[in-house]
């Protein structure tokens, strides 16, 4: 038996491609969410605070230390 006939019955596996036009809105949305999360973790305290009180700061306090943002 030759090797040429051994692979004749296997299907052709191809990787589907995603057009950039369909991927771009999701990338923009994801990066906006990421920037919003980094703002709340990194800068929502003191003079740059959007909300009064320390509620947001206390909610993301452990995340601040995990990501290396100083707050004490």
């Amino acid at each position: 038996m030759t090797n040429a006939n051994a692979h004749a019955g296997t299907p052709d596996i191809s990787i589907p491609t995603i057009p950039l036009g369909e991927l771009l809105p999701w990338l923009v949305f994801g990066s906006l969410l990421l920037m919003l999360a980094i703002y709340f973790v990194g800068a929502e305290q003191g003079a740059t605070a959007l909300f009064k009180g320390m509620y947001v700061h206390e909610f993301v306090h452990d995340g601040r230390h995990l990501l290396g943002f100083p707050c004490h």
Side-chain angles (χ1 to χ4, degrees), residues 2 4 7 14 18-21 31 34 36 38 41 46 48 54-55 63 66-67:
T2 62
H7 298 290
S14 62
I18 301 173
L20 185 61
S31 58
L34 181 65
L36 185 66
I38 288 177
V41 171
T48 62
M54 297 294 286
Y55 299 112
L66 181 68
L67 294 174

Side-chain angles (χ1 to χ4, degrees), residues 18-62:
I18 301 173
L20 185 61
E22 291 181 17
L23 191 61
L24 189 61
W26 291 104
L27 291 174
V28 170
F29 178 68
S31 58
L32 287 175
L33 284 179
L34 181 65
M35 287 190 294
L36 185 66
I38 288 177
Y39 168 77
F40 277 112
V41 171
E44 176 62 31
Q45 97 181 37
T48 62
L50 295 176
F51 302 101
K52 287 188 174 194
M54 297 294 286
Y55 299 112
V56 174
H57 173 79
E58 293 300 325
F59 184 73
V60 297
H61 187 258
D62 292 338

Side-chain angles (χ1 to χ4, degrees), residues 1-12:
M1 180 169 207
T2 62
N3 287 339
N5 293 333
H7 298 290
T10 59
D12 182 28

